[in-house]
Amino acid sequence: RTQWFYRHSVTLAARDMKKLLETQRQLERAEMEHKAQIRSAEAACAARCRLIRIFMHDMRSPLLTMANVASQLHTEAGRESTNLERASSVLRTCSGLMEHILSDIKK
């Protein structure tokens, strides 16, 4: 009877050890998946920040040009000039570029 109890105890301990090892493996897998998700989220955030920086850079030049042309138009508003036609053309070009950039972002 003592031998049976001993074998039974060893069997139960072995079964418990297998369960513990399996639980430990599951926890390690879950931790690795969690770390992968964190890396993925960080990469997505970095890509979003990079996109915003590129967008801001691409928009700054046409906006500054439009501001300068608008200032020139204001200055020359009282005079007839071919500069007004050229300034108007520049404004149309810049606004078209900005529309193109914004439509690319929507896609």
Side-chain angles (χ1 to χ4, degrees), residues 3 8 13 42-43 51 66 69 73 83 94-95 106-107:
Q3 270 186 336
H8 183 67
E42 287 172 345
L51 174 66
M66 290 174 69
V69 170
L73 284 173
N83 287 340
C94 288
S95 65
K106 287 182 182 180
K107 294 178 183 177

Side-chain angles (χ1 to χ4, degrees), residues 37-93:
Q37 289 174 346
I38 288 173
R39 283 191 300 271
S40 176
E42 287 172 345
C45 183
R48 189 178 119 242
C49 289
R50 195 169 40 254
L51 174 66
I52 290 170
R53 280 194 309 272
I54 290 168
F55 175 76
M56 295 298 288
H57 179 268
D58 289 350
M59 294 304 290
R60 185 175 294 122
S61 180
L63 286 172
L64 289 175
T65 302
M66 290 174 69
N68 289 335
V69 170
S71 176
Q72 181 183 4
L73 284 173
H74 179 71
T75 301
E76 295 191 22
R79 300 178 261 174
E80 282 191 40
S81 171
T82 56
N83 287 340
L84 288 176
E85 291 176 17
R86 190 173 68 237
S88 173
S89 174
V90 169
L91 280 175
R92 281 194 304 271
T93 301

